[in-house]
Amino acid sequence: MKRIVSKKGLALLVAALLVFALLPGAALAITADGGVETVDELTSAINAGGNVKLGTNIEITNENLGYKISGKPVVLDLNGFALTRAGTTQTALFQISNGGSLTITDSKGTGSITSSYPVDLRSNSTFVLNGGAITSPKGAAID
C-alpha cells in the first residue's frame, strides 16, 4: 500500500525542521553586532567556548555564579561595556583550568570587569588581558 504525503504535510515537516535547525541560534538572542545581553546568554556563550562579545552592560546578581573554562579557549570582548558581579564571594568569576584559556579584549577601549575574586588561573591554563580593566573590591584580581 502506497502512502502519499500531501503538500501541506510536507510543508509543515520542512517548517518544523527549519525551526529545530535554528534553535541554537535562537537560544542566544544576540545583538545585531553579535553581542550577548543577558547573564543567561553570557553563560551559554562562555560554556560553548570561542568568541564572546558583550552587547550591553551585564550585572550578575548571583554572587556565587562563576564560569569554569576547562579544555577550551574563550575570547571575551568587553566591547566597551561593563561586566559586574555583586557581592564579596570567594567563588571565582572565571576559573580557568585543564588546558582552558581566557583572553579578555576590549574593542571599544572602555570595558571593565568588577567582581571579588575575578580570575582563578589553575595549572596548565592561560589567561591573557589584552584590553579592558579588572577591578576586585575584595581580594586578589587574579589568583
Side-chain angles (χ1 to χ4, degrees):
M1 176 179 226
K2 272 187 166 180
R3 187 169 200 173
I4 299 174
V5 177
S6 71
K7 289 181 183 178
K8 192 176 195 178
L10 185 58
L12 286 172
L13 177 63
V14 169
L17 289 173
L18 286 172
V19 167
F20 286 116
L22 294 174
L23 277 179
L28 265 183
I30 55 177
T31 61
D33 70 347
V36 296
E37 294 189 317
T38 68
V39 172
D40 289 340
E41 292 169 8
L42 179 64
T43 300
S44 294
I46 289 174
N47 287 342
N51 295 325
V52 180
K53 182 195 291 188
L54 297 186
T56 190
N57 294 328
I58 296 179
E59 182 174 351
I60 300 170
T61 56
N62 177 355
E63 73 175 64
N64 293 312
L65 177 65
Y67 300 104
K68 294 183 187 274
I69 300 169
S70 178
K72 65 186 168 223
V74 173
V75 177
L76 176 61
D77 179 0
L78 298 173
N79 195 27
F81 295 108
L83 176 60
T84 305
R85 183 178 65 172
T88 57
T89 183
Q90 292 294 318
T91 302
L93 180 59
F94 298 106
Q95 183 186 74
I96 312 154
S97 63
N98 298 321
S101 68
L102 173 62
T103 300
I104 297 176
T105 64
D106 185 16
S107 57
K108 302 275 170 112
T110 56
S112 64
I113 295 173
T114 302
S115 173
S116 65
Y117 202 36
V119 178
D120 177 16
L121 183 62
R122 304 276 174 108
S123 62
N124 193 31
S125 55
T126 306
F127 174 70
V128 178
L129 181 62
N130 280 337
I134 297 179
T135 304
S136 177
K138 180 179 181 207
I142 300 172
D143 189 17

